[in-house]
Amino acid sequence: SQTGQTNTNNAKHVISNRLVVSGTIMFDDDNKMTDASVEWLVSPPIRGLIMPDSVTISVANLNTFVRTTNFVIPPNSNMDAGTSYAFTLRCTLSNGKVSGSALTVRTNAPPFPGEFVVTPTSGTELNTTFTFFASYWQDDDVPLVLEYAFGYMSSEGDVLVTRSRLEDEPSASMLLPAVGADFSGNKVTCVMFIYDALDANASAHFDVQVTVPVGQSGKAKMDSLLSVVERMLGPIEQDGRSEEHT
């Protein structure tokens, strides 16, 4: 008879990383004159992944009755977040004996949805202070460590992060420009990103109305813009990180 054993660490798998599942096959003296067909199986199937072909081993030609094989999943594969995958190493001998071993790997998932609100729901450009607040977001990692970033969408649809990631800081206050004054009825879409300890992230949106103050001078608007820039640069300089979202 023979036994199979698959090995990897017990931590959750981050899909953006490579995954290596290692298996060891051990043959005993009773089977040293047989051939063995070795194959990997995975359930549920990983979309777009080409499974390795089965390999035939002539046990009599082995220098040792122990054979190790690896199953490699490339980074950024089509594994689903928050899903348990069963990897099975199966060995079939030419005498009909079959044995195998399975290992379950769970992929990391982003934080679970909570609430994201912005108050007040309306105000004036670069004058009203809007407060962003996230609550009731959860993650299955222990201990629970979440980081929050906040910003808004520009008139071109790009996300501008004005409060970079901070741990356990689920709120922020900022001034907002009237990016929607010309085409969307003064609507400004506020954005929140929330990250777990393994860097998986989720996002949420909240719309507010931001109007242009009547009779605002060019100098007053420039002073307000400089104030916003200073608020944006402060957190970035503090934690030394820059962020990009697409």
Side-chain angles (χ1 to χ4, degrees), residues 3-55:
T3 61
Q5 180 177 333
T6 49
N7 300 292
T8 192
N9 58 49
N10 293 322
K12 287 189 295 185
H13 173 57
V14 178
I15 297 173
S16 59
N17 296 338
R18 185 179 71 158
L19 172 66
V20 179
V21 183
S22 179
T24 300
I25 307 162
M26 293 167 285
F27 301 95
D28 57 28
D29 290 339
D30 294 339
N31 301 306
K32 62 183 179 181
M33 300 306 296
T34 63
D35 291 336
S37 176
V38 178
E39 63 179 335
W40 283 100
L41 306 170
V42 59
S43 179
I46 301 173
R47 299 186 309 278
L49 179 68
I50 299 176
M51 295 293 295
D53 295 330
S54 61
V55 176

Side-chain angles (χ1 to χ4, degrees), residues 5-207:
Q5 180 177 333
T6 49
N7 300 292
T8 192
N9 58 49
N10 293 322
K12 287 189 295 185
H13 173 57
V14 178
I15 297 173
S16 59
N17 296 338
R18 185 179 71 158
L19 172 66
V20 179
V21 183
S22 179
T24 300
I25 307 162
M26 293 167 285
F27 301 95
D28 57 28
D29 290 339
D30 294 339
N31 301 306
K32 62 183 179 181
M33 300 306 296
T34 63
D35 291 336
S37 176
V38 178
E39 63 179 335
W40 283 100
L41 306 170
V42 59
S43 179
I46 301 173
R47 299 186 309 278
L49 179 68
I50 299 176
M51 295 293 295
D53 295 330
S54 61
V55 176
T56 299
I57 301 172
S58 178
V59 180
N61 293 331
L62 295 177
N63 294 326
T64 175
F65 288 159
V66 178
R67 178 69 179 263
T68 299
T69 180
N70 293 326
F71 185 11
V72 179
I73 310 297
N76 298 311
S77 63
N78 288 321
M79 300 178 79
D80 294 322
T83 301
S84 295
Y85 289 88
F87 293 87
T88 300
L89 179 60
R90 185 168 64 189
C91 181
T92 304
L93 298 179
S94 55
N95 59 16
K97 294 181 179 179
V98 179
S99 69
S101 181
L103 176 73
T104 299
V105 176
R106 185 167 180 81
T107 54
N108 187 43
F112 309 141
E115 293 183 355
F116 171 50
V117 297
V118 180
T119 58
T121 58
S122 63
T124 55
E125 179 183 44
L126 305 177
N127 182 45
T128 301
T129 299
F130 291 89
T131 299
F132 294 50
F133 189 72
S135 58
Y136 307 118
W137 291 80
Q138 296 292 325
D139 193 73
D140 56 8
D141 294 317
V142 177
L144 179 64
V145 177
L146 298 176
E147 295 182 340
Y148 304 83
F150 301 99
Y152 64 92
M153 296 186 69
S154 71
S155 56
E156 290 78 25
D158 300 320
V159 175
L160 303 178
V161 175
T162 54
R163 210 296 298 276
S164 57
R165 292 167 59 176
L166 290 176
E167 182 178 322
D168 293 332
E169 291 290 342
S171 65
S173 296
M174 66 187 73
L175 305 178
L176 292 173
V179 295
D182 296 331
F183 62 90
S184 64
N186 299 316
K187 182 181 76 173
V188 175
T189 299
C190 303
V191 183
M192 178 204 70
F193 294 95
I194 182 168
Y195 300 80
D196 70 5
L198 298 177
D199 221 31
N201 71 86
S203 62
H205 302 78
F206 191 95
D207 292 336

Side-chain angles (χ1 to χ4, degrees), residues 124-128 152 155 175-182 186 188 210-230:
T124 55
E125 179 183 44
L126 305 177
N127 182 45
T128 301
Y152 64 92
S155 56
L175 305 178
L176 292 173
V179 295
D182 296 331
N186 299 316
V188 175
V210 182
T211 57
V212 178
V214 177
Q216 184 185 51
S217 68
K219 182 180 184 303
K221 184 168 184 176
M222 183 59 66
D223 290 342
S224 296
L225 283 171
L226 289 174
S227 176
V228 171
V229 170
E230 290 175 355

